[in-house]
């Protein structure tokens, strides 16, 4: 019963992920998504889009990776993709959170999930690379769906989006080309994404 008690403690704890707000709007442009919605969306995207991976991937492992990759934000908070100041402390904050949150589980499960989380962070395996493709593609798709609403609010420049997506092709060349042609460049043409350089 002790094992089951620990598992439910973790399950209750991760409900807090639903309270972690992100900067990306839902498709209606009215409210912003939370971390749990983001994870769910990418999990389904992976099931549907894994056929476009550069290499055949373990879909269940990749889905698991995406479902847990932002759990650390329960403690660390969401770091906006273009918040350069926040990124300076992000790794340290998230590592500390991983120790606590995965530590709630029975040792074998905690160790396994933390290893999958670390694999995502290291971004070296084919599953991690595809998971990163999803993590980059999903908010860009939503920004396109809302007429670049969050990009405009934050004054985001094209070079920031391209920098954020510089490794997106490593998971899927096909999806990166589609994202660039259908979600990014049309928003530059419409003025939702600023041209020019910014150091922010």
């Amino acid at each position: 019963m002790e094992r089951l008690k620990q598992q439910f403690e973790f399950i209750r704890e991760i409900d807090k992920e639903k309270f972690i707000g992100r900067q990306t709007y839902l498709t209606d442009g009215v409210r912003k998504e939370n971390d749990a919605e983001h994870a769910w969306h990418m999990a389904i995207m992976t099931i549907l889009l894994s056929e476009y991976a550069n290499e055949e991937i373990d879909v269940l492992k990749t889905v698991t990776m995406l479902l847990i990759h932002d759990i650390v934000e329960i403690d660390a908070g969401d770091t906006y993709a273009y918040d350069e100041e926040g990124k300076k402390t992000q790794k340290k904050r998230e590592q500390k959170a991983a120790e606590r949150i995965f530590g709630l589980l029975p040792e074998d499960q905690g160790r396994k999930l933390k290893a999958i989380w670390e694999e995502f962070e290291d971004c070296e395996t084919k599953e991690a690379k595809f998971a990163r493709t999803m993590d980059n593609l999903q908010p860009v798709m939503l920004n396109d769906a809302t007429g670049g609403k969050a990009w405009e609010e934050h004054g985001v420049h094209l070079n920031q989006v391209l920098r954020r997506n510089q490794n997106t092709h490593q998971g899927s060349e096909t999806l990166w080309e589609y994202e660039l042609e259908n979600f990014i460049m049309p928003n530059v043409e419409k003025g939702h994404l600023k041209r020019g350089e910014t150091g922010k």
Side-chain angles (χ1 to χ4, degrees):
M1 287 299 101
E2 181 58 32
R3 181 178 178 84
L4 195 52
K5 181 180 175 184
Q6 286 179 284
Q7 289 166 329
F8 272 111
E9 186 177 357
F10 176 82
I11 290 165
R12 277 191 300 270
E13 184 67 12
I14 65 171
D15 185 68
K16 294 177 183 176
E17 192 177 12
K18 299 170 187 173
F19 299 114
I20 307 301
R22 291 171 49 81
Q23 292 302 312
T24 310
Y25 283 93
L26 300 177
T27 51
D28 65 0
V30 176
R31 85 165 166 88
K32 297 174 181 177
E33 68 177 355
N34 63 49
D35 269 359
E37 292 166 329
H38 172 61
W40 162 83
H41 209 180
M42 291 186 299
I44 293 181
M45 285 172 63
T46 298
I47 292 166
L48 298 175
L49 303 176
S50 59
E51 63 187 88
Y52 302 107
N54 292 339
E55 302 177 73
E56 188 173 343
I57 59 168
D58 180 332
V59 173
L60 178 58
K61 184 179 183 182
T62 309
V63 165
T64 303
M65 196 176 284
L66 287 165
L67 288 173
I68 68 169
H69 86 287
D70 276 343
I71 282 174
V72 294
E73 294 184 359
I74 290 169
D75 288 358
D78 175 61
T79 303
Y80 183 47
Y82 308 110
D83 177 7
E84 298 306 321
E85 202 56 39
K87 287 180 189 175
K88 293 176 183 177
T89 61
Q90 182 179 7
K91 190 168 184 177
K92 186 176 180 181
R93 285 183 284 117
E94 292 186 351
Q95 186 64 48
K96 183 179 177 183
E99 297 290 340
R100 183 190 77 80
I101 296 167
F102 293 121
L104 296 172
L105 282 164
E107 187 179 351
D108 62 319
Q109 286 187 326
R111 188 169 57 246
K112 181 180 179 180
L113 288 190
K114 187 168 179 284
I116 292 173
W117 176 79
E118 288 170 343
E119 183 178 334
F120 175 83
E121 291 297 305
D122 293 339
C123 199
E124 292 177 356
T125 65
K126 57 188 180 180
E127 285 78 19
K129 288 174 182 175
F130 192 80
R132 288 285 184 153
T133 296
M134 296 295 96
D135 199 27
N136 291 338
L137 172 59
Q138 190 261 1
V140 169
M141 176 191 65
L142 289 181
N143 266 290
D144 174 69
T146 58
K149 187 171 182 179
W151 285 334
E152 289 187 338
E153 285 183 357
H154 292 276
V156 175
H157 285 62
L158 171 62
N159 74 303
Q160 290 175 283
V161 176
L162 294 179
R163 207 161 44 231
R164 171 77 175 178
N165 281 272
Q166 63 186 343
N167 296 319
T168 300
H169 72 280
Q170 291 182 3
S172 172
E173 293 280 359
T174 301
L175 293 177
W176 163 239
E177 288 171 12
Y178 189 89
E179 175 185 351
L180 183 64
E181 292 173 13
N182 293 275
F183 301 146
I184 296 175
M185 295 315 296
N187 280 281
V188 175
E189 299 306 319
K190 294 171 186 173
H192 304 312
L193 265 177
K194 296 182 178 181
R195 293 184 183 271
E197 296 291 314
T198 176
K200 293 181 180 178

